[in-house]
Amino acid sequence: MYLFSKAQFSQTLHQACDAATSMAGKEICGLIVDTGCHLSFVSTRNTSLKSGSFELSRSDVRRIVAASKVLGQEIIGTFHSHPIGIAVPGGTDIHNAVDDSLMFIFDCMGKNGQLWKIKSGKARSLPFGFIKSTECEPCDPLKSTALDA
């Protein structure tokens, strides 16, 4: 089972719902990083100008890739929100995903989310859970100044 921090999940879901309402359907997006302890959501700017779509900021992605290498962590997928849709990847989501990667979608209407494995042009739902708040705190990912450099 894939594990996330409950606090980070809640915070990212809250950001997704805020963006959906305050910015007329704006999606949030970012990368999923395997810290070695759990998976973490690392946000990027959404450079798409269209409501209900996302495009990861290339400069943010480069910065996160560099920081994750320094920290010995691995980028294993992406996440984004669906402001008015369910947490199921659409055709464009699947087409634009890296093959054999994870995708997490936050459902702003239902206030939940779902993890997916994207492989060979198909999406398969995966189970996920949450770490205990005291597990793996020392290796919490990319939270520090590594991304601020």
Side-chain angles (χ1 to χ4, degrees):
M1 176 174 308
Y2 295 92
L3 298 175
F4 293 93
S5 158
K6 178 73 171 175
Q8 189 188 37
F9 171 86
S10 297
Q11 178 185 12
T12 307
L13 177 61
H14 182 73
Q15 290 169 347
C17 295
D18 280 355
T21 56
S22 67
M23 294 186 269
K26 184 80 169 177
E27 292 188 17
I28 65 163
C29 58
L31 300 173
I32 300 172
V33 176
D34 183 347
T35 70
C37 298
H38 56 49
L39 302 183
S40 181
F41 302 112
V42 181
S43 295
T44 67
R45 288 172 288 152
N46 180 355
T47 59
S48 175
L49 299 177
K50 293 187 247 175
S51 179
S53 71
F54 76 97
E55 183 176 328
L56 302 171
S57 162
R58 290 176 193 232
S59 62
D60 288 356
V61 169
R62 282 192 298 272
R63 189 169 41 90
I64 294 165
V65 167
S68 65
K69 284 181 183 178
V70 167
L71 295 170
Q73 300 173 353
E74 181 181 7
I75 296 169
I76 59 170
T78 62
F79 73 89
H80 66 280
S81 59
H82 282 181
I84 57 171
I86 59 175
V88 174
T92 303
D93 293 335
I94 294 169
H95 177 75
N96 291 330
V98 172
D99 193 46
D100 202 21
S101 67
L102 297 181
M103 178 182 290
F104 196 97
I105 301 175
F106 289 93
D107 171 359
C108 297
M109 300 296 286
K111 300 207 180 341
N112 59 29
Q114 183 57 53
L115 182 65
W116 300 88
K117 175 73 162 190
I118 309 298
K119 188 167 184 169
S120 302
K122 295 184 180 170
R124 180 173 49 96
S125 176
L126 296 175
F128 70 94
F130 301 105
I131 61 168
K132 295 178 186 165
S133 61
T134 57
E135 289 180 312
C136 296
E137 287 300 321
C139 69
D140 211 351
L142 307 176
K143 264 188 165 181
S144 66
T145 57
L147 286 179
D148 298 328

